[in-house]
Amino acid sequence: MRTIRFLLEKEFRQIFRNKAILLLIMVMPVMQLIILPLAANYEVKNINLSVVDHDHSSYSQKLISKVTASGYFKLTGYNSSFNEGMKLVETDNADLILEIPHGFERNLVREGHQHLFIAVNAINGVKANLGGAYLGAIVKDFNNSIRLQLLPSSKFNEPAVIEVTSSNLFNPQLKYKFFMVPGILAILVTMIGGFLSALNIVKEKEFGTIEQINVTPIKKHHFILGKLIPFWMLGNVVFTLGLLVSWLIYGIVPLGNLLVLYLFASVFLLAILGFGLLVSTFCDTQQQAMFIMFFFMMIFILMGGLFTSIDSMPEWAKIVSRFNPVSYLIEVMRMVILKGSGFKDILPQLVTVGIYALILNAWAIWNYKKRN
Amino acid sequence: MSWPEVLNEVIKAMEQFINFVKKEFAHVWRDKKTLLILFGMPVIQILIFGFALTNEVKNSEIIVMDQAKDEASQQIINKIAASRYFEIKNIAMNNVQIEAAFKQGKIKMAVVFPAGFNEALLHQHKAQIQILADASDPNTATMLTNYVSSIIQDYQRSIDKTAAIPYSIVPEARMLYNPQLKGAHNFVPGVMALVLMLVCVMMTAISIVKEKETGTMEILLVSPFSPLLVILSKAVPYLILSLINVASILLLSVYVLDLPVNGSVALLFAESTLFIITCLSLGIFISVKTNSQQMAMLISLMGMFLPTVLFSGFMFPIENMPYPLQLISNLVPAKWFYLIVKSIMIKGLGFMSIWKETLILGGITIVLLVVSLKSFKIRLA
């Protein structure tokens, strides 16, 4: 016990001595959490639309004003040819082109049937899907209103109707920030824990101070604990700051139990710190440790379900994500904070991450011994 | 000084420079572990992200609560099950089970058929279906609700074949550039910008700070060589390494991910070179401003990773951001490179369409280099 206390004192002194880094650890995540959710916005609005109207009829005018009045689309071009519309797509000034063919109104009234052409910039799938879907819905609405206008009500019997009522659970106002903030906080906590622990031991190796520790009678697990505990505490502090920011700035109050949240975060921190330690036992320089950590962090974060859904990934990628501790943290954060999930609900995730924590730390200790 | 003398000086400086570059190269080459990571990392990442990342929503797990158990409800359920958007996880019996499944994060949506569904549809010409969506993810909730609604509408149309619907407008949609809606078209240019940026910034920042930290920088600086040459010679090997990375990323995207290079390959390499130089300058800038490897890394990774992902525009549309953040996004070099790669590779455009982006990248580079050099000189004085 005494040894650990001395080791902790040393580690804490080293952390507090470097004010710049301490400040960075505290301030950077908070700043990012304040700013980044504003940038991570995928609410569907401002879809840039170019209209190519060959018809110039009252119907085509009505359709266009209906589309622009919907609030989803911004008319960025009113062109006379498809090629001009295409130029706007090339320069990213239009996401969709709506082309109204010649004789649109005439054919619709006379032949009861007319096509409309929509071209979608499909490089980015979400915009293409959502924009196309919204435009389709507006066209359908417009179509119905024309039908009502042209058909005497008696002639057109509405067939059997299935009414669909939908409710949005857990986030009825569909606020995208509620979805992003817990996820971004998860990432920030992960980066702090992972980078700091990976760098720290390697630094002692690179500077040779680890040799001095190795010749003292300090036990290996004392040494590892001495490294783990300070970063674990730092991680929890950053986590708390993050929860405060999401409450004060974004008004997000966890629906679930805070203790459950902290329990999971604490176990997760042990896992990610263990991973950092493991990486540092394999490396000789801080540079190597950084590169390896960066490599895994990118995979952890981009495949963690924060930005793109894991369900939509191919089978092999879903299996990979099962080994990704960060995906559990993001999932649990969203569950507890937004849905109010309780201890029992997150138990499977907790057990999995707990097992990772044990394996990673044991492996780190074992690997560290082997090298000396 | 007479002309021959000046020329002589220049040649001498060049020789020195080349020697420095050689020395740095040997340095990098000796560290096989780092080299392996440097070349392996982008390759593995492009493969993983190119195949795995997609903005599409599919295979969402849902639950069905069928209190009707009649012909109509069964037919609709079959249609939902056949769609690639949904995977019916369970047929729930009661509300409690549905709530539990939502809280355990097992399902994204529940579809509820009330008792006597078919009956109501046939006799009252009106029946109800209730959809409960997990809106903690608002976009997925919206999309899934739309998908189910359109499946139900399809069904509705199919049971009423007699009524040919008059005055129909039929929208025909064409998907430009990416007819199969593959994620790779969007994510490969984005990940390319991200990986190149972070790797280049990190490498230069660290390698220069390392010399500072170990004190060898002092020795270099008191030597008669120009500090500019010292720093540039550190950047050159990384430029070459990064170009090899660009080549391997492009080969992978074309031959493994089936991504087209519709524009000029030479132009793509020229622009990549410019972007790499921008990133190396940023690395130099960071290393001039910091004193320890730890600090340099925290800034170049912790500080830049998420902002680069978010502000480059490949994850979230920049025009959705508040105006001040749109301004900030202009300072992120990856944003411009992402636009350039997308234009050349996928849209197949030429230099005339990207000269503005090119100019901005060049401008950022010059500013970074000038500022670094200035503060470097101050340190020396």
Side-chain angles (χ1 to χ4, degrees), chain B residues 183-380:
Chain B
H185 283 67
N186 183 43
F187 286 113
V188 166
V191 172
M192 195 167 149
L194 186 64
V195 171
L196 280 181
M197 165 125 175
L198 292 172
V199 169
C200 294
V201 171
M202 227 165 31
M203 282 189 301
T204 30
I206 293 171
S207 74
I208 295 176
V209 169
K210 193 176 178 179
E211 302 243 6
K212 269 198 211 170
E213 212 173 21
T214 48
T216 40
M217 198 55 141
E218 304 292 314
I219 300 168
L220 278 175
L221 292 183
V222 294
S223 67
F225 313 121
S226 144
L228 180 67
L229 283 190
V230 173
I231 288 188
L232 281 186
S233 60
K234 287 200 163 292
V236 170
Y238 292 128
L239 173 67
I240 295 168
L241 291 183
S242 305
L243 278 174
I244 298 176
N245 274 337
V246 171
S248 59
I249 290 174
L250 285 182
L251 284 173
L252 280 178
S253 10
V254 172
Y255 291 105
V256 184
L257 290 164
D258 264 338
L259 213 65
V261 179
N262 290 324
S264 146
V265 176
L267 180 61
L268 195 51
F269 265 94
E271 296 284 349
S272 303
T273 311
L274 172 63
F275 178 64
I276 292 167
I277 293 174
T278 313
C279 299
L280 296 177
S281 322
L282 185 56
I284 291 173
F285 176 71
I286 291 175
S287 65
V288 167
K289 294 285 182 194
T290 53
N291 284 317
S292 69
Q293 288 187 72
Q294 212 161 3
M295 198 71 179
M297 284 177 240
L298 281 175
I299 290 176
S300 47
L301 279 181
M302 272 288 315
M304 284 176 29
F305 180 76
L306 277 181
T308 311
V309 173
L310 293 178
F311 287 122
S312 52
F314 79 104
M315 283 285 185
F316 300 97
I318 287 172
E319 61 264 31
N320 267 8
M321 298 172 192
Y323 191 66
L325 292 190
Q326 291 190 23
L327 289 182
I328 292 178
S329 79
N330 291 333
L331 299 175
V332 176
K335 169 190 170 177
W336 305 108
F337 187 59
Y338 167 65
L339 287 175
I340 290 172
V341 175
K342 211 169 60 166
S343 298
I344 301 178
M345 254 182 110
I346 297 172
K347 294 185 181 172
L349 302 176
F351 182 72
M352 286 321 290
S353 319
I354 49 168
W355 63 268
K356 233 188 280 169
E357 285 83 357
T358 312
L359 217 59
I360 294 170
L361 274 186
I364 294 176
T365 314
I366 290 169
V367 169
L368 282 172
L369 281 177
V370 168
V371 173
S372 318
L373 206 63
K374 277 236 169 94
S375 31
F376 201 64
K377 275 187 184 145
I378 292 168
R379 283 172 167 275
L380 281 176

